Amino acid sequence: MKTLMIPLVAIFFGACATMQPRSPAVSILVDLDPASVDRTIIVESITANKEGRLYMPDRVTGNILRVDPKPPKPVVVGRIEAREIKGKKVNAEGGGIAFNQQGDLFIASGPFAEVVRIRAADLNAAKPGTAQTFATGTEGANGIVFDKQGNLFVSGGRSGVVYRVGANGGAAQPAVKIELHTRKLPDGKTEQATVANGLDFDAKGILYVADTSRGAIWKIEMQPDGKGSKPVLFAQSPLLEGVDGTAFDANGKLWATVNERNAIVTVTPDGTVQEIAKNGSAGPLEFPSAIVFVGNSAYITNYDTPRRDNMDATGQAAKDGIGASIAQITP
Ligand SMILES: [Ca+2]
Ligand SMILES: [Ca+2]
């Protein structure tokens, strides 16, 4: 018997080796609020500077946090002050975040209908800089991305409009519009109407727009006058229901966080959608909202909204898991 066992064991382990899941593991880089699991910090978007340090806006405090992946301790380097609008205190609720070529940092604010800027020199842990208005008239401002010429594009959430702002800022102009749409979630009550969310350009300068509502990604060719051509469907799948932030990897494959499904997917240039990671409400993905690559490592913000696959056992909240955090997929 014993002599027979050895080849069987060898075959078994050999089979395991070939069947090993190729999906990379998701782990937690840092819990942004170790004292709480209950959204005392809310981060929707993430970007990295040229040195590979991560930056994200906290919607609760208005603080701009910086995290060096080694060691991953959050530091406040800037701030978006709340404003008084029509007699009420309104938080910026910082959304999309991106650097320009000069190293200035830009953050979308839906409640302000603006994109604000903190100059490179003012991103300072010793004296955090205050964000100033850069672009106005961006209703529902959510995702942001720069093109190679330094123009800023801003997604308008449920308005479906993608705005364009020149490198010097000012009043934004509509560049393209995604048709409106509303999807009911499987609970039969919750509605998702955000059709223009995460934005990205590919190497050829084609704009990609995440349509959270349809579970789709649109492709838009830009014309010389700064307007977009008619949006073309790049991918649509139940796997993309809740698609939020996107980023291209070094091979030109598009990665996307799918918030309400607690999932990460990839989309190949021919539009094939593949699930890379997915988990229940306990994490490590907790309503993942944005993704950025530093080299071959992906960093993902956990926004932790209580919705669909990110509901805890009460069916009301998302208090399991660790809450606001950065997840990572490292090679
Ligand atoms: Ca926490
Ligand atoms: Ca949670």
Side-chain angles (χ1 to χ4, degrees):
M1 279 303 280
K2 219 171 184 180
T3 48
L4 190 64
M5 280 299 283
I6 292 160
L8 278 178
V9 165
I11 289 163
F12 177 74
F13 280 108
C16 278
T18 54
M19 285 162 61
Q20 259 184 1
R22 272 190 283 164
S23 302
V26 182
S27 62
I28 293 295
L29 173 71
V30 60
D31 181 348
L32 292 170
D33 186 2
S36 171
V37 297
D38 194 21
R39 311 198 84 204
T40 48
I41 286 180
I42 300 179
V43 287
E44 179 174 5
S45 195
I46 188 166
T47 192
N49 70 358
K50 286 170 182 168
E51 288 78 45
R53 285 171 163 173
L54 309 170
Y55 289 76
M56 65 223 80
D58 171 22
R59 295 175 76 137
V60 178
T61 59
N63 288 336
I64 309 303
L65 304 174
R66 183 182 75 200
V67 172
D68 189 336
K70 322 172 211 182
K73 186 185 181 316
V75 176
V76 177
V77 292
R79 211 181 135 64
I80 315 174
E81 301 284 359
R83 292 183 188 173
E84 196 174 299
I85 300 176
K86 292 177 187 156
K88 280 173 66 179
K89 187 193 165 200
V90 176
N91 285 336
E93 296 188 354
I97 183 165
F99 284 98
N100 66 3
Q101 279 301 316
Q102 292 74 43
D104 301 329
L105 187 61
F106 297 77
I107 306 108
S109 167
F112 296 174
E114 285 188 4
V115 176
V116 297
R117 170 175 61 185
I118 304 176
R119 298 277 194 181
D122 297 328
L123 293 166
N124 184 347
K127 189 173 178 259
T130 303
Q132 307 290 340
T133 297
F134 175 75
T136 57
T138 54
E139 191 199 329
N142 191 322
I144 60 174
V145 68
F146 284 94
D147 69 9
K148 280 185 184 152
Q149 290 74 43
N151 301 300
L152 181 64
F153 289 78
V154 187
S155 65
R158 60 178 58 204
S159 77
V161 178
V162 178
Y163 302 89
R164 178 180 172 277
V165 192
N168 296 319
Q173 300 299 325
V176 68
K177 185 174 176 181
I178 308 294
E179 289 300 315
L180 304 187
H181 183 78
T182 299
R183 170 171 54 89
K184 269 221 169 86
L185 269 62
D187 66 6
K189 298 180 302 214
T190 313
E191 291 192 335
Q192 174 50 271
T194 299
V195 294
N197 202 334
L199 299 180
D200 249 299
F201 282 100
D202 70 9
K204 291 182 197 148
I206 295 171
L207 181 67
Y208 292 72
V209 182
D211 182 335
T212 315
S213 176
R214 288 184 180 85
I217 297 172
W218 297 92
K219 241 174 117 157
I220 297 153
E221 295 219 32
M222 302 311 297
Q223 297 166 358
D225 64 357
K227 297 273 186 197
S229 304
K230 191 174 157 36
V232 173
L233 201 58
F234 170 55
Q236 185 169 25
S237 164
L239 295 176
L240 288 169
E241 288 180 5
V243 64
D244 193 340
T246 56
F248 284 96
D249 68 15
N251 300 316
K253 191 186 271 188
L254 189 64
W255 291 58
T257 60
V258 186
N259 57 32
E260 71 193 54
R261 294 185 56 256
N262 273 353
I264 305 290
V265 301
T266 57
V267 189
T268 53
D270 68 354
T272 306
V273 183
Q274 189 179 21
E275 192 144 271
I276 294 295
K278 174 167 171 60
N279 56 248
S281 56
L285 299 169
E286 297 181 57
F287 208 83
S289 51
I291 180 167
V292 65
F293 278 93
V294 175
N296 291 321
S297 295
Y299 297 100
I300 299 142
T301 44
N302 279 322
Y303 187 63
D304 204 23
T305 297
R307 192 182 299 162
R308 197 166 170 181
D309 295 350
N310 194 45
M311 292 279 211
D312 63 22
T314 67
Q316 305 290 325
K319 294 191 187 183
D320 50 358
I322 64 166
S325 50
I326 304 173
Q328 61 185 350
I329 299 175
T330 50

mmCIF file of all heavy atoms in Angstrom, residues 23-26 261-265 274-279 285 329:
data_model
loop_
_atom_site.group_PDB
_atom_site.id
_atom_site.type_symbol
_atom_site.label_atom_id
_atom_site.label_comp_id
_atom_site.label_asym_id
_atom_site.label_seq_id
_atom_site.Cartn_x
_atom_site.Cartn_y
_atom_site.Cartn_z
ATOM 1 N N SER A 23 -6.023 33.995 -8.879
ATOM 2 C CA SER A 23 -6.429 35.275 -8.323
ATOM 3 C C SER A 23 -5.482 35.685 -7.204
ATOM 4 O O SER A 23 -5.189 34.897 -6.323
ATOM 5 C CB SER A 23 -7.841 35.171 -7.751
ATOM 6 O OG SER A 23 -8.725 34.776 -8.755
ATOM 7 N N PRO A 24 -5.012 36.919 -7.239
ATOM 8 C CA PRO A 24 -4.149 37.380 -6.156
ATOM 9 C C PRO A 24 -4.963 37.617 -4.891
ATOM 10 O O PRO A 24 -6.160 37.866 -4.950
ATOM 11 C CB PRO A 24 -3.593 38.692 -6.697
ATOM 12 C CG PRO A 24 -4.556 39.137 -7.733
ATOM 13 C CD PRO A 24 -5.271 37.927 -8.249
ATOM 14 N N ALA A 25 -4.313 37.514 -3.759
ATOM 15 C CA ALA A 25 -4.999 37.681 -2.481
ATOM 16 C C ALA A 25 -5.125 39.158 -2.122
ATOM 17 O O ALA A 25 -4.227 39.945 -2.386
ATOM 18 C CB ALA A 25 -4.228 36.943 -1.401
ATOM 19 N N VAL A 26 -6.247 39.488 -1.528
ATOM 20 C CA VAL A 26 -6.455 40.844 -1.025
ATOM 21 C C VAL A 26 -6.141 40.850 0.466
ATOM 22 O O VAL A 26 -6.586 39.971 1.196
ATOM 23 C CB VAL A 26 -7.919 41.289 -1.234
ATOM 24 C CG1 VAL A 26 -8.116 42.713 -0.742
ATOM 25 C CG2 VAL A 26 -8.321 41.172 -2.691
ATOM 26 N N ARG A 261 -20.933 44.883 -4.602
ATOM 27 C CA ARG A 261 -20.677 43.443 -4.630
ATOM 28 C C ARG A 261 -19.404 43.070 -3.855
ATOM 29 O O ARG A 261 -19.015 41.909 -3.846
ATOM 30 C CB ARG A 261 -20.571 42.951 -6.081
ATOM 31 C CG ARG A 261 -21.893 43.075 -6.859
ATOM 32 C CD ARG A 261 -21.803 42.479 -8.259
ATOM 33 N NE ARG A 261 -21.374 41.103 -8.184
ATOM 34 C CZ ARG A 261 -20.142 40.664 -8.476
ATOM 35 N NH1 ARG A 261 -19.223 41.513 -8.910
ATOM 36 N NH2 ARG A 261 -19.852 39.398 -8.363
ATOM 37 N N ASN A 262 -18.751 44.042 -3.228
ATOM 38 C CA ASN A 262 -17.499 43.772 -2.500
ATOM 39 C C ASN A 262 -16.519 42.993 -3.382
ATOM 40 O O ASN A 262 -15.962 41.973 -2.966
ATOM 41 C CB ASN A 262 -17.769 42.997 -1.206
ATOM 42 C CG ASN A 262 -18.097 43.910 -0.042
ATOM 43 O OD1 ASN A 262 -18.005 45.126 -0.172
ATOM 44 N ND2 ASN A 262 -18.483 43.332 1.085
ATOM 45 N N ALA A 263 -16.314 43.487 -4.587
ATOM 46 C CA ALA A 263 -15.531 42.726 -5.563
ATOM 47 C C ALA A 263 -14.539 43.617 -6.311
ATOM 48 O O ALA A 263 -14.700 44.841 -6.390
ATOM 49 C CB ALA A 263 -16.461 42.051 -6.561
ATOM 50 N N ILE A 264 -13.500 42.968 -6.831
ATOM 51 C CA ILE A 264 -12.565 43.576 -7.777
ATOM 52 C C ILE A 264 -12.656 42.759 -9.062
ATOM 53 O O ILE A 264 -12.611 41.518 -9.018
ATOM 54 C CB ILE A 264 -11.106 43.500 -7.271
ATOM 55 C CG1 ILE A 264 -10.969 44.123 -5.876
ATOM 56 C CG2 ILE A 264 -10.149 44.142 -8.264
ATOM 57 C CD1 ILE A 264 -11.116 45.606 -5.815
ATOM 58 N N VAL A 265 -12.796 43.440 -10.185
ATOM 59 C CA VAL A 265 -12.829 42.741 -11.469
ATOM 60 C C VAL A 265 -11.789 43.369 -12.404
ATOM 61 O O VAL A 265 -11.318 44.476 -12.163
ATOM 62 C CB VAL A 265 -14.223 42.816 -12.144
ATOM 63 C CG1 VAL A 265 -15.302 42.219 -11.245
ATOM 64 C CG2 VAL A 265 -14.566 44.232 -12.548
ATOM 65 N N GLN A 274 -13.680 39.753 -15.805
ATOM 66 C CA GLN A 274 -13.273 38.610 -14.989
ATOM 67 C C GLN A 274 -13.207 39.029 -13.530
ATOM 68 O O GLN A 274 -12.663 40.099 -13.210
ATOM 69 C CB GLN A 274 -11.901 38.112 -15.444
ATOM 70 C CG GLN A 274 -11.525 36.795 -14.791
ATOM 71 C CD GLN A 274 -10.170 36.297 -15.264
ATOM 72 O OE1 GLN A 274 -9.348 37.063 -15.756
ATOM 73 N NE2 GLN A 274 -9.934 35.013 -15.092
ATOM 74 N N GLU A 275 -13.765 38.202 -12.643
ATOM 75 C CA GLU A 275 -13.724 38.514 -11.226
ATOM 76 C C GLU A 275 -12.368 38.114 -10.640
ATOM 77 O O GLU A 275 -11.915 36.993 -10.828
ATOM 78 C CB GLU A 275 -14.825 37.767 -10.497
ATOM 79 C CG GLU A 275 -15.018 38.262 -9.088
ATOM 80 C CD GLU A 275 -16.477 38.223 -8.693
ATOM 81 O OE1 GLU A 275 -17.173 39.220 -8.929
ATOM 82 O OE2 GLU A 275 -16.917 37.183 -8.202
ATOM 83 N N ILE A 276 -11.731 39.034 -9.941
ATOM 84 C CA ILE A 276 -10.411 38.807 -9.349
ATOM 85 C C ILE A 276 -10.539 38.474 -7.869
ATOM 86 O O ILE A 276 -9.825 37.633 -7.337
ATOM 87 C CB ILE A 276 -9.542 40.076 -9.519
ATOM 88 C CG1 ILE A 276 -9.240 40.314 -10.991
ATOM 89 C CG2 ILE A 276 -8.268 40.010 -8.703
ATOM 90 C CD1 ILE A 276 -8.394 39.246 -11.635
ATOM 91 N N ALA A 277 -11.440 39.152 -7.195
ATOM 92 C CA ALA A 277 -11.629 38.935 -5.753
ATOM 93 C C ALA A 277 -13.035 39.351 -5.374
ATOM 94 O O ALA A 277 -13.608 40.260 -5.976
ATOM 95 C CB ALA A 277 -10.608 39.743 -4.957
ATOM 96 N N LYS A 278 -13.584 38.641 -4.403
ATOM 97 C CA LYS A 278 -14.913 38.982 -3.869
ATOM 98 C C LYS A 278 -15.026 38.379 -2.482
ATOM 99 O O LYS A 278 -14.508 37.300 -2.232
ATOM 100 C CB LYS A 278 -16.007 38.418 -4.773
ATOM 101 C CG LYS A 278 -17.404 38.599 -4.202
ATOM 102 C CD LYS A 278 -18.486 38.318 -5.226
ATOM 103 C CE LYS A 278 -19.870 38.293 -4.573
ATOM 104 N NZ LYS A 278 -20.198 39.594 -3.925
ATOM 105 N N ASN A 279 -15.665 39.128 -1.556
ATOM 106 C CA ASN A 279 -15.868 38.580 -0.215
ATOM 107 C C ASN A 279 -17.167 39.109 0.374
ATOM 108 O O ASN A 279 -17.784 40.030 -0.183
ATOM 109 C CB ASN A 279 -14.663 38.894 0.684
ATOM 110 C CG ASN A 279 -14.331 40.362 0.774
ATOM 111 O OD1 ASN A 279 -13.304 40.809 0.287
ATOM 112 N ND2 ASN A 279 -15.219 41.147 1.363
ATOM 113 N N LEU A 285 -12.487 43.311 1.486
ATOM 114 C CA LEU A 285 -13.119 44.351 0.689
ATOM 115 C C LEU A 285 -14.422 44.739 1.381
ATOM 116 O O LEU A 285 -15.261 43.873 1.660
ATOM 117 C CB LEU A 285 -13.384 43.850 -0.735
ATOM 118 C CG LEU A 285 -12.129 43.442 -1.521
ATOM 119 C CD1 LEU A 285 -12.510 42.713 -2.809
ATOM 120 C CD2 LEU A 285 -11.260 44.656 -1.836
ATOM 121 N N ILE A 329 -3.506 44.637 -3.149
ATOM 122 C CA ILE A 329 -3.212 43.412 -3.886
ATOM 123 C C ILE A 329 -1.773 43.556 -4.355
ATOM 124 O O ILE A 329 -1.472 44.419 -5.185
ATOM 125 C CB ILE A 329 -4.164 43.212 -5.077
ATOM 126 C CG1 ILE A 329 -5.617 43.098 -4.598
ATOM 127 C CG2 ILE A 329 -3.762 41.963 -5.868
ATOM 128 C CD1 ILE A 329 -6.628 43.015 -5.721
#
